[in-house]
């Protein structure tokens, strides 16, 4: 059964359960090890599902667990319909699904279909000759007369997006690692095969799919060069660091092609054969991201929702958040958004937002209070509910090919992927019994272990639970309207409304006390205390301390 303090309304109460849902992202290799090999596994996720349910979330998103040589930590798939032995077996996955559903948690899995591993049987067949049945399943092209690559396209992970293959005597395209060849979505047989792998997981009971790099599926058939990056017209997109020349191009030909619309409609048609299934797409398209999201979520026949990288950067200001939400609302008229401050690809948001150790707990509480009150669905990344910061790792500890490639200018993504911390005083904080986990467990993280925070009513962990309980008790926070209010200071103020019920929120994201005069057109009926905050209200004025929250029910 769900935790007794779970949200008053859950995903089960909504036909479109994903709309306004709270999703907890699990990075399986860093969540819980049950075999003692130093790597997390699916049985470990199952073991910890009651903890996840106790937060009051609606579901989980599992990062890839498919069979893979792990060149890119599982985002290089060699078998879409099986579990990598590192993570367990299909029986372990079925057990996870059963336990999640018993706890009324939805399960979303990562679908990485823009590319495969070069160890996938499809690619092995494709590279064998130019005439076999899968010869056209990947993006192959002849060299220019001087032997150079077919065009100027670049890889997100550095260098050209083309790799020479001596067997076929052609180049193949890879948007990411050279060991991650891109599938040729212009081939209908490729689309058919991929959709069958999706059906495989639908039949096993998954509730949804997070579509990795969803705008990277198609390429320009004519292989035209990308033009140079024009300021304010496009950007790197997939969080490519500025040390990477990828951002020097405007990526109008190597991704985000119009043909993707029809494929996403095919994907949705498949999901519609099953009840209550959903999709959320990852869109990294620079300045065009909102335009792309609008196209991919319109008319209720493609993706259910998307997320962009707007709130995954360094800014935590009222203006930035308002601009991001306003920008989405103006560009995406009939779609839905999924907001997040952290995930497995970016520096943890507490490191990005907090100015010093002494304010980390308060910033963690404030940031989550903001996220939980925005209009949209939200994703939490494992460990943020414990106030984990980015781990500072030595070069010899890195496993991320992205970080290794660009060290020391860019440290990569391992710092946000270190193991979860469960038990105070235990080796590796209870993550594993192995002598050495796959990534180190920082001492500062171990001091924030979940069991210690369970016992402290004012801990960040218990704050997350309280805020999600608050969110569940107010229907307008799940799918109600949102309207920003003008402020004279650096405050974030808005209302959330559903039917005839409205809440007012004011967030002081600064390090100075602030006052907010409630507009004359609004009447405060009841001051509501947001968990963890206690501002004063007198004479129509809310008095907020630094990093503070005011909430009221409007009459």
């Amino acid at each position: 059964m769900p935790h007794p303090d779970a949200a008053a309304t859950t995903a089960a109460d909504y036909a479109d359960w994903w709309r306004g849902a709270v999703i907890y992202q699990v990075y399986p290799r860093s969540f819980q090890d049950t075999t003692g090999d130093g790597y997390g596994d699916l049985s470990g996720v199952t073991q910890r599902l009651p903890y996840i349910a106790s937060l009051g979330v609606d579901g989980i998103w599992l990062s890839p667990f498919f069979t893979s040589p792990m060149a890119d930590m599982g985002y290089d798939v060699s078998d879409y319909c099986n579990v990598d032995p590192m993570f367990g077996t299909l029986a372990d996955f079925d057990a996870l699904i059963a336990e999640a559903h018993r706890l009324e948690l939805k399960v979303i899995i990562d679908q990485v279909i823009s590319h495969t591993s070069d160890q996938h049987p499809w690619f092995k067949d494709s590279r064998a000759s130019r005439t076999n049945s899968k010869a056209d399943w990947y993006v192959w092209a002849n060299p220019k007369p001087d032997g150079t690559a077919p065009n100027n396209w670049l890889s997100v992970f550095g260098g050209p997006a083309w790799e020479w293959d001596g067997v076929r005597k052609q180049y193949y395209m890879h948007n990411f690692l050279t060991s991650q060849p891109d599938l040729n979505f212009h081939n209908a047989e490729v689309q058919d095969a991929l959709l069958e792998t999706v059906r495989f997981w639908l039949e096993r009971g998954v509730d949804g799919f997070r579509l990795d790099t969803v705008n990277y599926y198609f390429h320009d058939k004519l292989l035209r060069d990308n033009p140079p990056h024009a300021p304010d017209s496009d950007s790197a997109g997939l969080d490519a660091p500025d040390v990477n020349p990828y951002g020097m191009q405007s990526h109008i030909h190597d991704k985000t092609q119009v043909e993707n619309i029809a494929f996403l409609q095919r994907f949705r048609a498949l999901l519609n054969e099953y009840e209550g299934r959903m999709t959320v797409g990852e869109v990294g398209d620079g300045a065009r991201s909102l335009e792309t999201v609008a196209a991919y979520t319109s008319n209720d026949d493609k993706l259910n929702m998307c997320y962009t990288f707007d709130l995954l950067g360094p800014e935590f200001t009222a203006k930035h958040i308002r601009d991001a939400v306003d920008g989405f609302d103006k560009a995406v008229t009939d779609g839905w958004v999924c907001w997040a401050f952290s995930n497995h690809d970016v520096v943890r948001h507490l490191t990005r937002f907090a100015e010093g150790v002494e304010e980390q707990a308060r910033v963690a509480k404030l940031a989550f209070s903001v996220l939980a009150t925005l209009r949209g669905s939200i994703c939490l990344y494992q460990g943020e509910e414990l106030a984990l910061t980015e781990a500072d790792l030595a070069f010899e500890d890195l496993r991320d090919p992205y970080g290794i490639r660009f060290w020391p200018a860019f440290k990569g993504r391992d710092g946000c992927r270190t193991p979860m911390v469960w038990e105070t005083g235990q080796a590796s904080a209870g993550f594993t019994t192995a002598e050495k986990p796959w990534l180190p467990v920082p001492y500062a993280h171990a001091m924030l272990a979940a069991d210690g925070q369970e016992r402290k009513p004012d801990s960040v962990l218990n704050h997350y639970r309280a805020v999600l309980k608050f969110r569940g008790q107010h229907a307008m926070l799940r799918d109600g309207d949102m309207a920003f209010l003008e402020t004279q200071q650096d405050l974030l103020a808005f209302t959330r409304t559903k039917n005839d019920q409205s809440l007012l929120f004011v967030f002081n994201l600064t390090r100075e006390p602030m006052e907010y005069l409630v507009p004359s057109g609004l009447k405060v009926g009841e001051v509501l205390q947001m968990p963890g905050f206690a501002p004063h209200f007198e004479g129509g004025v809310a008095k907020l301390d630094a990093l503070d929250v005011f909430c009221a029910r409007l009459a």
Side-chain angles (χ1 to χ4, degrees):
M1 295 296 293
H3 189 272
D5 288 335
T9 57
T10 67
D13 299 311
Y14 294 83
D16 290 339
W17 63 266
W18 48 270
R19 191 181 298 273
V22 181
I23 307 299
Y24 184 92
Q25 183 190 354
V26 175
Y27 194 71
R29 72 163 55 208
S30 292
F31 204 59
Q32 178 66 67
D33 173 22
T34 63
T35 63
D37 65 357
Y39 297 88
D41 45 59
L42 294 182
S43 292
V45 178
T46 304
Q47 176 184 318
R48 297 294 185 179
L49 283 175
Y51 165 85
I52 298 174
S54 79
L55 298 174
V57 303
D58 298 304
I60 62 172
W61 150 26
L62 290 172
S63 292
F65 52 83
F66 313 108
T67 309
S68 167
M70 301 294 166
D72 187 24
M73 307 302 121
Y75 283 86
D76 49 322
V77 179
S78 57
D79 185 348
Y80 283 111
C81 297
N82 211 339
V83 174
D84 193 273
M86 171 190 295
F87 298 118
T89 64
L90 280 171
D92 293 330
F93 179 81
D94 293 340
L96 187 157
I97 285 277
E99 177 65 1
H101 288 169
R102 186 186 74 82
L103 293 167
E104 299 182 6
L105 292 171
K106 304 291 188 179
V107 178
I108 299 167
I109 65 173
D110 229 322
Q111 284 296 106
V112 190
I113 58 175
S114 70
H115 54 268
T116 70
S117 165
D118 61 0
Q119 299 305 303
H120 197 293
W122 297 347
F123 186 71
K124 290 182 177 181
D125 288 347
S126 187
R127 79 190 312 176
S129 73
R130 300 190 190 188
T131 58
N132 71 78
S133 62
K134 291 186 173 58
D136 193 37
W137 279 41
Y138 292 80
V139 184
W140 294 96
N142 291 323
K144 290 180 178 179
D146 63 359
T148 56
N151 60 29
N152 71 346
W153 295 352
L154 296 173
S155 163
V156 175
F157 280 13
W162 298 96
E163 180 73 4
W164 176 255
D165 182 73
V167 176
R168 280 188 53 143
K169 296 181 175 57
Q170 286 183 303
Y171 283 95
Y172 67 84
M173 179 187 173
H174 60 93
N175 269 304
F176 302 98
L177 295 175
T178 57
S179 58
Q180 292 172 299
D182 275 66
L183 285 159
N184 179 19
F185 276 73
H186 292 289
N187 185 330
E189 291 182 352
V190 171
Q191 296 186 30
D192 294 343
L194 288 170
L195 291 174
E196 282 307 304
T197 70
V198 172
R199 186 184 296 277
F200 175 87
W201 295 105
L202 288 167
E203 292 291 332
R204 299 196 94 87
V206 303
D207 301 289
F209 301 90
R210 180 260 186 186
L211 299 182
D212 183 68
T213 59
V214 70
N215 58 310
Y216 282 71
Y217 294 168
F218 284 84
H219 65 285
D220 174 36
K221 275 187 172 182
L222 300 179
L223 302 183
R224 288 171 287 188
D225 281 353
N226 283 327
H229 166 64
D232 301 323
S233 68
D234 188 28
S235 64
L238 194 68
D239 198 42
D242 59 10
V243 297
N244 185 350
Y246 185 85
M248 298 173 70
Q249 289 185 358
S250 187
H251 294 273
I252 63 173
H253 294 309
D254 54 351
K255 62 181 181 181
T256 321
Q257 301 301 292
V258 68
E259 294 94 335
N260 207 23
I261 298 295
F263 173 73
L264 294 179
Q265 289 171 328
R266 291 194 65 192
F267 199 110
R268 178 64 175 272
L270 170 59
L271 262 64
N272 287 345
E273 296 178 22
Y274 300 78
E275 185 177 359
R277 311 304 170 93
M278 60 77 73
T279 51
V280 54
E282 175 196 39
V283 175
D285 207 16
R288 299 180 300 168
S289 288
L290 291 178
E291 176 186 338
T292 303
V293 168
Y296 288 4
T297 58
S298 64
N299 299 325
D300 195 30
D301 65 349
K302 296 174 282 292
L303 301 180
N304 295 109
M305 59 182 176
C306 289
Y307 74 87
T308 69
F309 293 79
D310 292 337
L311 298 184
L312 296 175
E315 284 193 70
F316 184 56
T317 64
K319 182 181 185 305
H320 178 68
I321 293 170
R322 177 169 181 162
D323 286 350
V325 176
D326 266 346
F328 182 90
D329 288 343
K330 290 174 182 176
V332 186
T333 56
D334 63 345
W336 193 253
V337 69
C338 185
W339 299 114
F341 283 145
S342 283
N343 67 23
H344 64 292
D345 278 334
V346 300
V347 172
R348 285 188 175 273
H349 72 263
L350 196 52
T351 295
R352 305 195 319 263
F353 297 166
E355 298 177 1
V357 175
E358 65 283 349
E359 71 172 36
Q360 285 176 356
R362 190 167 181 87
V363 170
K365 294 177 180 180
L366 177 65
F368 186 56
S369 298
V370 172
L371 188 69
T373 53
L374 297 179
R375 184 173 189 268
S377 303
I378 61 175
C379 272
L380 318 180
Y381 179 53
Q382 65 179 50
E384 71 170 78
E385 77 279 10
L386 303 179
L388 297 190
T389 55
E390 187 81 353
D392 188 13
L393 303 179
F395 178 77
E396 55 268 24
D397 289 323
L398 297 188
R399 305 292 290 276
D400 176 22
Y402 202 13
I404 293 169
R405 170 70 174 81
F406 290 108
W407 181 277
F410 180 68
K411 294 185 177 181
R413 301 167 294 179
D414 288 320
C416 67
R417 298 176 176 182
T418 54
M420 272 288 284
V421 286
W422 298 107
E423 299 169 15
T424 306
Q426 296 296 314
S428 298
F431 164 70
T432 181
T433 57
E435 183 177 346
K436 185 177 181 181
W438 81 282
L439 283 175
V441 177
Y443 176 78
H445 286 194
M447 295 299 98
L448 296 170
D451 66 342
Q453 294 203 36
E454 293 273 5
R455 298 187 290 268
K456 298 177 181 178
D458 65 344
S459 68
V460 173
L461 171 59
N462 283 318
H463 176 81
Y464 267 64
R465 288 176 172 144
V467 169
L468 288 181
K469 182 179 179 181
F470 181 91
R471 178 182 169 94
Q473 291 170 337
H474 299 90
M476 70 281 289
L477 295 183
R478 188 172 191 108
D479 57 0
D481 294 331
M482 180 175 181
F484 285 106
L485 302 173
E486 292 299 327
T487 64
Q488 297 300 315
Q489 303 140 322
D490 191 14
L491 297 173
L492 181 69
F494 55 82
T495 58
R496 297 297 311 276
T497 302
K498 186 171 184 178
N499 300 325
D500 59 348
Q501 300 291 315
S502 292
L503 295 181
L504 166 67
F505 293 94
V506 184
F507 295 91
N508 179 12
L509 306 186
T510 76
R511 274 73 182 173
E512 300 291 337
M514 292 282 186
E515 293 187 353
Y516 178 75
L517 176 63
V518 175
S520 58
L522 301 179
K523 182 179 179 181
V524 171
E526 177 189 6
V527 175
L528 301 179
Q529 183 176 338
M530 278 290 287
F533 301 94
H536 300 290
F537 183 69
E538 184 178 351
V541 176
K543 298 181 178 181
L544 296 90
D545 290 333
L547 303 172
D548 204 357
V549 183
F550 173 75
C551 176
R553 190 187 307 279
L554 297 178

